[in-house]
Amino acid sequence: MAQPDDMFGDDDYPAYTMGRAAEITGASPDFLRRIGEAKLITPLRSAGGHRRYSRYQLRLAVRAKEMVEQGTALEAACRIIILEDQLEEALRQNEMRERRQKSDSA
């Protein structure tokens, strides 16, 4: 279990209830459930079975909400965001690999 000081800076810590997440994102609880069903986010479940969301998941929810409001189908918006995140991670890993190779050859 993370220590309290660690949780404040942890984007993945599931700090927000469904109601608070809906309030922060401006999305309905139903929308949050639907993006969970579309596999964009998987909220942690509390001991009582309640959904808990992280800041990272809230950012994804806001991105999905904006895309849906602009006319993109929910499932398509979720898939696009997933692919964008995968691409960003791959680019980050390539950059790290290139830096290592440069430092190894220096």
Side-chain angles (χ1 to χ4, degrees):
M1 180 93 175
Q3 296 301 313
D5 290 344
D6 297 338
M7 290 182 240
F8 290 118
D10 186 355
D11 272 357
D12 295 318
Y13 182 74
Y16 304 98
T17 62
M18 165 87 64
R20 184 70 177 127
E23 182 181 323
I24 291 169
T25 62
S28 68
D30 181 60
F31 182 83
L32 295 173
R33 281 189 287 276
R34 288 176 42 220
I35 63 174
E37 291 167 3
K39 307 283 189 243
L40 177 60
I41 59 175
T42 305
L44 184 75
R45 295 287 184 146
S46 69
H50 301 283
R51 290 174 179 87
R52 305 286 297 190
Y53 298 88
S54 69
R55 286 187 292 198
Y56 174 73
Q57 290 172 328
L58 297 185
R59 283 195 299 273
L60 294 179
V62 168
R63 286 170 58 193
K65 181 178 173 280
E66 289 170 352
M67 291 178 77
V68 169
E69 288 173 346
Q70 293 173 359
T72 305
L74 177 74
E75 294 77 14
C78 292
R79 185 67 182 138
I80 290 166
I81 293 167
I82 290 167
L83 290 170
E84 287 174 344
D85 280 1
Q86 289 173 344
L87 175 59
E88 185 177 315
E89 176 63 18
L91 291 172
R92 188 187 64 74
Q93 288 179 0
N94 279 344
E95 185 177 314
M96 288 175 53
R97 191 174 301 115
E98 288 173 8
R99 285 184 190 162
R100 270 196 307 267
Q101 288 174 348
K102 285 180 183 178
S103 68
D104 289 348
S105 63

